[in-house]
Amino acid sequence: SQKIEQNSEALNIQEGKTATLTCNYTNYSPAYLQWYRQDPGRGPVFLLLIRENEKEKRKERLKVTFDTTLKQSLFHITASQPADSATYLCAYTGGGNKLTFGTGTQLKVEL
Amino acid sequence: EAGVAQSPRYKIIEKRQSVAFWCNPISGHATLYWYQQILGQGPKLLIQFQNNGVVDDSQLPKDRFSAERLKGVDSTLKIQPAKLEDSAVYLCASSFNGDSGSPLHFGNGTRLTVT
């Protein structure tokens, strides 16, 4: 069955650097991948969606790539700020339009 | 636009007791979801409604969990009887039409502790 995997180890980076988070899937290429941000005690907030036939999507300081050969999506935050510290979740749309989430990667941006 | 509203924010109960959570989705959103998020994990879909019909409840433990969405708007999720392993955050989300590309809008969840 399809699995979606994110690095469970927290990512610590310095302010101003580019943060890169990874999302891997195991079997078929999902039609869509979505990325969400979750702050402690809050629900996830939608950030970006990328379709299978798109290589890259950008929104302000955020960029998402989708590599169907590597079965991987990368999420980049350029010029990172302490306010970007949060857990980032990727999710794929499977059968029946069901959205399945990965476990999330915690990002901490330090001064 | 007003976001997804959930109540209560926190609930503490003893095992074998019952509990109910309430969700009011964004106005006009046809699709409503209940997710369970255990600490350190990603949200897991429990049930998905399209208007007032169930689309997917394959991961809902139906011997103890039930959910309804009367009139295709508000929804309640009930657990009876609760077990220790039900301790989690219960997230409600809605989307405009449930299409594959529709982003989900989440509420802030109800944190349930079962003792």
Side-chain angles (χ1 to χ4, degrees), chain B residues 9 12 16 19-20 36 38 40 42 48 57 59 61-62 80-81 90 92 95 100 102:
Chain B
R9 279 290 273 136
I12 301 174
R16 292 186 289 274
V19 64
Q36 179 193 58
I38 293 171
Q48 178 178 341
D57 63 357
Q59 298 189 98
K62 298 180 186 65
Q80 182 180 14
Y90 291 85
C92 179
S95 68
S100 297
S102 290

Side-chain angles (χ1 to χ4, degrees), chain B residues 13-115:
Chain B
I13 61 172
E14 294 182 352
K15 60 184 178 184
R16 292 186 289 274
Q17 287 187 323
S18 62
V19 64
F21 313 125
W22 173 82
C23 173
N24 182 235
I26 292 173
S27 178
H29 279 195
T31 312
L32 185 147
Y33 313 77
W34 284 102
Y35 280 84
Q36 179 193 58
Q37 187 172 26
I38 293 171
L39 188 64
Q41 299 183 19
K44 181 182 96 171
L45 180 68
L46 293 177
I47 189 166
Q48 178 178 341
F49 292 94
Q50 182 75 15
N51 296 309
N52 59 351
V54 176
V55 173
D56 187 325
D57 63 357
S58 57
Q59 298 189 98
L60 186 73
K62 298 180 186 65
D63 57 334
R64 298 184 302 105
F65 285 63
S66 65
E68 60 182 8
R69 189 183 185 197
L70 299 175
K71 300 180 182 178
V73 181
D74 292 8
S75 177
T76 55
L77 176 70
K78 297 179 182 177
I79 308 175
Q80 182 180 14
K83 292 186 175 181
L84 294 176
E85 60 259 35
D86 297 333
S87 294
V89 175
Y90 291 85
L91 295 162
C92 179
S94 69
S95 68
F96 180 66
N97 57 14
D99 283 353
S100 297
S102 290
L104 271 58
H105 300 261
F106 283 86
N108 286 327
T110 296
R111 181 177 297 277
L112 174 67
T113 302
V114 182
T115 63

